[in-house]
Amino acid sequence: MKTIIRLLFVAFLFLNVTEARAEKVKMADKKSRTLRGTTAGCTPSSTFAWLNINNARVRVNAGGDMWWDLPGGTGAKYYIPANSSSTSLYAGSLWIAGLDINQQLKCAAIRFRQTGNDFWTGPLTIDGTASIDPATCMEYDKMFTITRAEVDDFIANCDPATGAPYRDYEIPSSIKNWPAHGDPSRGMSYYLAPFYDKNKDGHYRPEEGDYPYYDIDNELCHSDIPTMDESIEGSIKGSILADQVIKGDQTLWWVFNDKGNAHTETGGSAIGLEIRAQAFAFATNDEINNMTFYSYEIINRSTYTLTNTYFSPWTDVDLGFSRDDFVGCDVTRGLGYGYNGKNVDGSGEPESYGVNPPAVGVDFFQGPYLDPDGIDNPKYDPVTGENCDESINGVNFENGIIDDERFGMRRFVYYNNDGANNGEPDKATDYYNYLRGIWKDGSKMCYGGNGYNSGAGLELDIKSDFMFPGNSDIWGWGTRTNGNEDFGKTNVWTEQTAGNAAADRRFMQSAGPFTLEPGAINYITV
């Protein structure tokens, strides 16, 4: 566990200094568009589980969104402290978008299901069609919960000589029913959830000593092994191997996709993504006891190559009372955060924190791989600013391994809960623009004020990749793409310095651009 925790702290990952240009994307207006792509007719997921082993008590939904209780519910379910009614996050999800060879936009995202849905449960076929049927969606509309203590107890009750459990030991259902395998007769990959294969025969059999794959002996770190998934070519190298295991003291595992039905949330064409997710937490005596983690194994099951692709965790902060928040980011650490815009949070609502409200941070630890360039790219020098590029908040730079460098937070983008040009997205191009640091009307985000058209210190000619960085952009990384790095170095920009009014904010921590090849596998850890 210590190695996994150390990796999570070390792997601050955020990069790329490519200018966001407004490429022409083929997508009709939402009022006239038609929803494209083969759909399976799956229904939205209704399953959820609680991550509740430490000081955070958190609801996680199986349908690609989390922390809230879906339309018709009562609201936020990210309780911290765990035994309180105060909540610090309302909703979270993944946004993914890119362009195919014909510059057709493909996009998968979700916010609140009142407005639509782009994700459904279950694994896709591996034959290139990336298909699924309603029965499979329904079969996998579930979450699998496991704890490290259960696995430790299982190992302690196995014969060291044979590896098999003792006869008087009853294998718990969480281990016995672990979703290690899919059904190849229905076109799925045979390998799904990670498991430790005691006798290396390729089959999950707890009665022979196999178990959900916690890295008990830290044997996977800093080594190269083939991936278990026969549909993915090559091998997984370096620190990425930590993603081939189950993590935490408590873990939720589930699988979802973007091909189960029409994309009614974004209106974009489906990509063909199978996403194997886990939510996990550690019970500790330090600050990790106040944290929850989310890791996504993202597989492109389609035959499409996407270019100019971006991944982002999307967060609706709602720190207690929802309409009095500020947001900001720490560029070097790749951290997005929300804090109260007033000295007192709310007016006594059950979810509010009242006096001396806390802040909440969202750290995008690991993002997608940079496109290969045949070299082991150098690290950023925090003293001189040399190599101030993707390495400033990415991982695996100058580690002795070629082409394993990974993005971190390349852009930090907020928007408001309204219909303005810096408000809620309405169609696929809006989602894609936000991922690239572009407002809904096509204008590039600017430094100062509200980043769009008003506020103290607004510099319309100074474009910025990071909204409200404070003084954390010490080398002007967010403004240097237009030759204005000195401006970003010497100026401080927060919601407070801009004189913004506190409101209901959402934000993205976007990574890209990169190329997503057919069969490509990527990991995001938040």
Side-chain angles (χ1 to χ4, degrees):
M1 184 181 102
K2 291 181 178 178
T3 299
I4 296 297
I5 293 174
R6 189 179 308 117
L7 172 66
L8 291 171
F9 274 119
V10 169
F12 292 119
L13 193 317
F14 309 59
L15 322 132
N16 194 295
V17 88
T18 303
E19 178 180 3
R21 291 185 291 270
E23 299 98 335
K24 292 183 179 179
V25 178
K26 297 179 181 178
M27 173 58 65
D29 180 89
K30 184 174 183 180
K31 294 180 180 178
S32 61
R33 70 175 183 239
T34 57
L35 300 175
R36 288 176 291 277
T38 303
T39 63
C42 294
T43 56
S45 170
S46 60
T47 299
F48 69 92
W50 289 95
L51 191 62
N52 55 8
I53 201 169
N54 62 16
N55 196 39
R57 180 167 53 95
V58 178
R59 171 173 165 145
V60 181
N61 302 321
D65 51 356
M66 54 192 176
W67 308 331
W68 73 304
D69 57 357
L70 307 181
T74 58
K77 300 296 178 183
Y78 196 109
Y79 299 104
I80 183 166
N83 60 358
S84 75
S85 64
S86 299
T87 57
S88 59
L89 297 169
Y90 186 85
S93 67
L94 284 179
W95 289 12
I96 305 169
L99 306 177
D100 69 13
I101 193 172
N102 298 313
Q103 298 298 290
Q104 173 69 52
L105 176 60
K106 293 184 176 294
C107 180
I110 191 172
R111 294 170 298 160
F112 315 107
R113 297 192 204 174
Q114 299 101 320
T115 57
N117 189 26
D118 284 7
F119 291 120
W120 297 266
T121 49
L124 300 177
T125 61
I126 62 175
D127 58 1
T129 64
S131 60
I132 193 169
D133 57 65
T136 302
C137 288
M138 185 174 297
E139 177 185 346
Y140 282 90
D141 188 9
K142 61 182 67 173
M143 305 187 82
F144 300 85
T145 302
I146 188 75
T147 67
R148 174 64 182 266
E150 288 175 298
V151 172
D152 287 340
D153 185 61
F154 172 84
I155 295 171
N157 281 280
C158 287
D159 187 329
T162 66
Y166 296 124
R167 290 184 177 181
D168 59 349
Y169 173 73
E170 183 176 350
I171 301 174
S173 60
S174 58
I175 294 177
K176 187 182 300 183
N177 299 322
W178 186 245
H181 297 304
D183 185 351
S185 69
R186 289 190 281 162
M188 305 175 199
S189 169
Y190 184 58
Y191 296 105
L192 287 178
F195 67 93
Y196 182 78
D197 189 3
K198 181 71 175 179
N199 62 7
K200 313 300 181 188
D201 67 353
H203 306 291
Y204 181 68
R205 297 188 176 103
E207 65 275 10
E208 296 179 1
D210 300 342
Y211 54 84
Y213 205 162
Y214 286 102
D215 188 15
I216 303 296
D217 298 320
N218 297 325
E219 65 181 358
L220 292 186
C221 294
H222 313 298
S223 63
D224 300 347
I225 62 171
T227 175
M228 296 183 70
D229 193 331
E230 75 282 358
S231 64
I232 302 168
E233 296 181 357
S235 59
I236 306 302
K237 297 183 176 182
S239 63
I240 188 67
L241 289 173
D243 289 300
Q244 290 289 305
V245 298
I246 299 299
K247 298 176 284 290
D249 291 328
Q250 180 194 17
T251 312
L252 313 178
W253 190 95
W254 72 106
V255 57
F256 62 101
N257 69 82
D258 82 318
K259 284 291 293 291
N261 212 320
H263 283 204
T264 52
E265 164 73 20
T266 65
S269 295
I271 301 170
L273 297 177
E274 177 182 312
I275 302 172
R276 302 169 179 185
Q278 55 177 301
F280 58 99
F282 299 91
T284 69
N285 293 319
D286 57 18
E287 62 273 13
I288 296 174
N289 202 53
N290 292 325
M291 299 180 186
T292 60
F293 299 86
Y294 307 86
S295 183
Y296 302 93
E297 181 181 6
I298 302 168
I299 306 170
N300 182 7
R301 293 296 192 197
S302 77
T303 58
Y304 298 109
T305 295
L306 292 189
T307 61
N308 292 294
T309 307
Y310 293 82
F311 286 174
S312 176
W314 168 86
T315 304
D316 181 6
V317 180
D318 285 11
L319 184 67
F321 182 64
S322 64
R323 294 190 292 276
D324 59 3
D325 294 338
F326 283 156
V327 297
C329 72
D330 185 312
V331 173
T332 306
R333 295 164 66 187
L335 179 74
Y337 54 84
Y339 60 106
N340 221 60
K342 302 176 181 179
N343 291 332
V344 178
D345 175 46
S347 302
E349 300 85 357
E351 72 274 15
S352 66
Y353 283 97
V355 297
N356 300 318
V360 59
V362 180
D363 203 337
F364 185 10
F365 285 116
Q366 292 182 323
Y369 288 102
L370 277 68
D371 289 345
D373 59 8
I375 63 173
D376 178 19
N377 288 276
K379 286 183 180 179
Y380 144 73
D381 188 327
V383 177
T384 66
E386 186 177 357
N387 303 319
C388 183
D389 51 18
E390 290 87 350
S391 65
I392 193 171
N393 58 19
V395 298
N396 298 346
F397 288 81
E398 203 172 329
N399 66 348
I401 300 175
I402 293 173
D403 289 337
D404 73 333
E405 298 86 5
R406 299 177 65 181
F407 280 107
M409 184 180 72
R410 181 55 193 88
R411 288 170 179 80
F412 178 83
V413 177
Y414 88 97
Y415 68 85
N416 293 319
N417 180 14
D418 59 34
N421 279 317
N422 61 341
E424 295 284 354
D426 184 59
K427 53 186 179 294
T429 48
D430 295 341
Y431 290 84
Y432 192 49
N433 279 344
Y434 277 153
L435 289 171
R436 298 180 298 155
I438 298 171
W439 297 116
K440 289 163 59 177
D441 62 2
S443 61
K444 185 72 175 67
M445 296 178 180
C446 303
Y447 193 99
N450 67 356
Y452 177 55
N453 62 2
S454 66
L458 179 66
E459 297 284 346
L460 291 173
D461 294 332
I462 307 294
K463 310 307 179 186
S464 180
D465 290 331
F466 303 104
M467 307 291 100
F468 314 124
N471 61 356
S472 70
D473 193 6
I474 57 176
W475 296 111
W477 187 39
T479 56
R480 66 170 48 209
T481 52
N482 293 304
N484 295 301
E485 60 184 277
D486 288 339
F487 188 89
K489 289 184 201 177
T490 57
N491 287 270
V492 176
W493 177 27
T494 69
E495 296 239 49
Q496 292 164 296
T497 63
N500 293 345
D504 188 1
R505 304 274 198 263
R506 296 89 158 89
F507 64 74
M508 291 80 68
Q509 295 160 274
S510 180
F514 64 95
T515 302
L516 185 65
E517 300 282 356
I521 180 172
N522 258 305
Y523 294 88
I524 291 177
T525 300
V526 180

